Amino acid sequence: MSKKYILALDQGTTSSRTVLFDDTGKIYGISQKETEQIYPKHGWVEQNAVEIYQSQLETMHNVMRDQNIDFKDVLSIGITNQRETTIVWNKKTGEPIYNAIVWQDVRTSKYCKELKADVNLNQYVHFNTGLVIDSYFSATKIKWILDNVPKAREMSKNDQLLFGTVDTWLLWNLTKGKVHATDYSNASRTMLYNIKDLEWDQQMLERLDIPASMLPQVRPSSFHFGDFSFDEHVIPINGIAGDQQAALFGQACFKKGETKNTYGTGCFLLMNTGKKPKFSSNGLLTTIAWGIDGKVQYALEGSVFIAGAAIQWLRDGLQLIDHAKDSEYFANQVDGDSSVYVVPAFAGLGAPYWDMDARGSIFGLTRDTGKNHLIKATLESLAYRSKDLILAMEEDSGVPLTSLKVDGGACANNYLMQFQADMLNTKVERAEIIESTALGAAYLAGIGVGLWKKEDILKNRKIEKEFHPAMEEEKRVKMYATWKKAVSRSMDWETD
Ligand code: ADP
């Protein structure tokens, strides 16, 4: 029998990628294409929705061609995507009525501020959608399109428009307009979905004047969503999850308390909190991790705005290093501990501090401070900020962290990973396949088509390297207390 494959479509913010997995869960081929970012005004970020679909389709065909695989050997397709990005299109023609408004776009922040003034609404949003009122999520972006694109409001009332996050848009196009659906994980990032009742939230829809008829059906993340046809082949689409939730699944964080951290430009931390939503008192988001086997799992989510971006600053801003990976070498050149702390609050501080007026700061400089100290302290700041979030998650969930599963570009840094293990006093596991996002989509699809079970995934998971804590308690406590002192002094800086 010929080998079988799963295609994972990974539509990210800056590129579309397709990762081809074989039936043992190994990567067989990858194809990637950058997508154009459009910045019409300060704070606005858009993409061409047609380009999103076409680039995704192109990478899918390219990987098949490059690896010389026939579609008849593809068992299933899984989709994972940049979350919250909003597309509205004409139901009849399939044409988007406006560019995709990307999650980073802040054009609705003034409107969000107005909504935030309503204390009851804040509470309602927190305890029903799991989110905080913010321009980041899809809801106010949809409203903006309806309010600002000529005839959009009227068309929406006449049931002529459809809304989708990127997964929905891809699915709709891949099925030639037959299926308008999303999964729980993506729905839970719209600020319109009631994560307790598992339905679109009537009160939010009314408040934002968004007709329910525009919204996709919400399905489990592992589900037969529809089919993609190519030549005489019909390939089922069996998995959909937003990128961070897909990564949590790809890291096999199936049990309550299991946590992953993705060290990219920012850090994204998600903790599986089990079958009931836990609402944070520390400014973390509550989100649906996935729906599978008739059950929904929830997660707490927190992010560090500036993580790998701080390493880019060392490279491009300060020009202290030529390549991000060189930071490991220079950090290792520092003899013993140093008293330098960098708080990379370039764009304020998120959870658990939530101080947008905090600014980047360096503390503890002495006459002998050199470039290596700055590099080391900047790397360490990623671990300190991640610890801040993990402590908040432990408090909110009541579940202690037992290990941290890591992925993302900066997890390749051994100095950083060892320091992370030391700071958390917990084992850090770096998986062999750090393409967790695509892997998660492939797993959801593979489970959906009956190729794998969760147990197979756990069995197959290979750790490339484990980092065990090796720092004495006294030192860890002292260093973390000093970090907290540094953070407190970087807060409330900007006064404009
Ligand atoms: P994203 O998906 O957000 O673009 P990636 O997962 O590709 O990010 O990771 C890239 C980020 O990680 C960059 O910000 C880069 O500075 C940082 N990075 C990459 N490799 C290393 C390394 N070895 N040590 C420290 N930082 C790194």
Side-chain angles (χ1 to χ4, degrees):
M1 209 176 81
S2 63
K3 223 177 159 101
K4 298 293 177 194
Y5 301 88
I6 302 275
L7 278 170
L9 314 188
D10 179 2
Q11 209 301 310
T13 311
T14 53
S15 72
S16 294
R17 285 148 40 87
T18 299
V19 185
L20 180 70
F21 289 90
D22 70 12
D23 48 13
T24 69
K26 282 210 192 70
I27 293 181
Y28 206 77
I30 301 183
S31 169
Q32 177 159 359
K33 191 163 190 226
E34 306 264 304
T35 46
E36 195 199 345
Q37 313 288 311
I38 305 163
Y39 306 104
K41 285 187 190 177
H42 184 68
W44 292 29
V45 188
E46 299 178 359
Q47 282 171 20
N48 180 329
V50 175
E51 185 197 344
I52 290 180
Y53 175 62
Q54 272 168 358
S55 59
Q56 192 60 65
L57 200 63
E58 210 177 307
T59 62
M60 178 164 83
H61 285 294
N62 286 349
V63 79
M64 296 294 287
R65 193 199 51 220
D66 296 348
Q67 303 305 323
N68 201 16
I69 307 288
D70 197 284
F71 273 99
K72 79 173 173 13
D73 293 320
V74 176
L75 291 175
S76 179
I77 295 174
I79 301 174
T80 180
N81 54 292
Q82 52 169 318
R83 302 174 303 172
E84 298 107 12
T85 296
T86 298
I87 304 168
V88 175
W89 65 95
N90 182 316
K91 194 174 179 175
K92 209 153 145 204
T93 64
E95 272 171 53
I97 63 162
Y98 192 77
N99 275 336
I101 304 187
V102 178
W103 55 274
Q104 296 146 324
D105 189 295
V106 293
R107 77 185 64 189
T108 60
S109 54
K110 192 161 158 259
Y111 175 61
C112 288
K113 257 193 196 141
E114 285 165 32
L115 290 177
K116 270 188 157 165
D118 179 343
V119 181
N120 292 336
L121 186 67
N122 274 309
Q123 289 287 314
Y124 186 84
V125 167
H126 182 62
F127 289 109
N128 290 281
T129 72
L131 308 174
V132 293
I133 297 172
D134 199 280
S135 58
Y136 195 81
F137 307 110
S138 318
T140 60
K141 298 184 196 295
I142 306 175
K143 181 173 164 53
W144 187 93
I145 291 176
L146 295 183
D147 288 343
N148 290 279
V149 175
K151 298 215 177 87
R153 189 53 75 195
E154 189 189 324
M155 288 175 81
S156 76
K157 298 250 147 62
N158 294 332
D159 199 11
Q160 292 170 316
L161 294 181
L162 296 177
F163 150 76
T165 39
V166 169
D167 55 309
T168 304
W169 170 244
L170 294 179
L171 179 67
W172 196 83
N173 280 289
L174 288 168
T175 60
K176 302 217 157 38
K178 285 204 193 84
V179 183
H180 183 226
T182 187
D183 88 300
Y184 289 126
S185 71
N186 276 293
S188 73
R189 313 298 298 187
T190 57
M191 213 172 90
L192 294 174
Y193 196 66
N194 193 305
I195 62 168
K196 291 191 296 201
D197 301 342
L198 301 182
E199 55 190 33
W200 293 112
D201 190 287
Q202 214 47 47
Q203 194 164 322
M204 291 304 293
L205 293 178
E206 273 164 31
R207 179 73 186 239
L208 276 88
D209 198 11
I210 295 174
S213 60
M214 292 178 72
L215 306 174
Q217 302 254 21
V218 185
R219 306 293 195 187
S221 315
S222 195
F223 178 79
H224 183 198
F225 286 89
D227 300 309
F228 168 69
S229 303
F230 183 72
D231 289 342
E232 75 278 22
H233 306 299
V234 177
I235 301 126
I237 301 164
N238 297 90
I240 294 187
D243 52 9
Q244 296 308 323
Q245 289 97 327
L248 190 71
F249 200 80
Q251 288 273 24
C253 294
F254 301 149
K255 286 208 250 48
K256 193 164 154 174
E258 291 186 322
T259 306
K260 72 93 194 172
N261 194 7
T262 302
Y263 298 79
T265 311
C267 276
F268 281 92
L269 262 150
L270 267 81
M271 175 188 267
N272 183 329
T273 57
K275 297 191 186 77
K276 290 216 174 77
K278 301 272 185 196
F279 294 101
S280 173
S281 336
N282 289 295
L284 301 172
L285 303 176
T286 306
T287 205
I288 301 182
W290 50 73
I292 189 169
D293 299 335
K295 286 181 225 115
V296 159
Q297 296 253 336
Y298 293 88
L300 278 169
E301 172 170 334
S303 56
V304 177
F305 305 144
I306 306 288
I311 311 302
Q312 288 167 21
W313 167 71
L314 293 176
R315 186 192 60 194
D316 308 333
L318 300 186
Q319 300 184 351
L320 295 182
I321 47 176
D322 291 332
H323 306 283
K325 69 173 169 34
D326 299 343
S327 56
E328 179 174 337
Y329 169 81
F330 290 110
N332 277 320
Q333 298 311 301
V334 175
D335 247 351
D337 305 323
S338 85
S339 52
V340 180
Y341 287 74
V342 170
V343 182
F346 301 152
L349 284 168
Y353 308 107
W354 286 115
D355 178 2
M356 291 305 133
D357 297 327
R359 284 296 172 268
S361 334
I362 306 174
F363 298 93
L365 300 178
T366 51
R367 182 62 188 83
D368 59 351
T369 299
K371 126 181 185 178
N372 297 346
H373 299 94
L374 277 185
I375 295 169
K376 177 170 136 88
T378 305
L379 270 178
E380 290 173 356
S381 73
L382 274 63
Y384 284 124
R385 280 296 287 123
S386 299
K387 177 172 167 120
D388 292 340
L389 287 170
I390 287 167
L391 288 178
M393 284 177 175
E394 289 181 318
E395 191 186 308
D396 288 333
S397 67
V399 184
L401 184 82
T402 48
S403 72
L404 181 69
K405 299 175 183 185
V406 300
D407 51 57
C411 89
N413 192 305
N414 294 317
Y415 178 83
L416 171 61
M417 291 302 109
Q418 183 56 49
F419 188 76
Q420 185 73 83
D422 287 342
M423 238 338 107
L424 291 173
N425 199 23
T426 308
K427 181 172 70 173
V428 169
E429 295 177 4
R430 187 163 67 201
E432 205 171 77
I433 300 183
I434 57 169
E435 293 281 350
S436 314
T437 308
L439 187 61
Y443 281 162
L444 288 166
I447 288 176
V449 81
L451 172 66
W452 296 312
K453 294 205 170 61
K454 269 191 188 167
E455 302 80 74
D456 304 324
I457 292 171
L458 286 168
K459 249 187 264 153
N460 271 343
R461 188 166 185 273
K462 295 207 175 53
I463 310 281
E464 181 259 324
K465 196 169 162 68
E466 279 185 358
F467 298 86
H468 294 273
M471 188 182 274
E472 311 88 72
E473 178 73 10
E474 196 186 334
K475 184 165 154 192
R476 173 176 36 256
V477 170
K478 186 162 171 252
M479 288 174 83
Y480 189 63
T482 313
W483 159 257
K484 295 290 272 188
K485 186 158 89 175
V487 168
S488 70
R489 294 190 182 179
S490 72
M491 288 172 80
D492 195 20
W493 178 264
E494 182 67 63
T495 47
D496 276 350

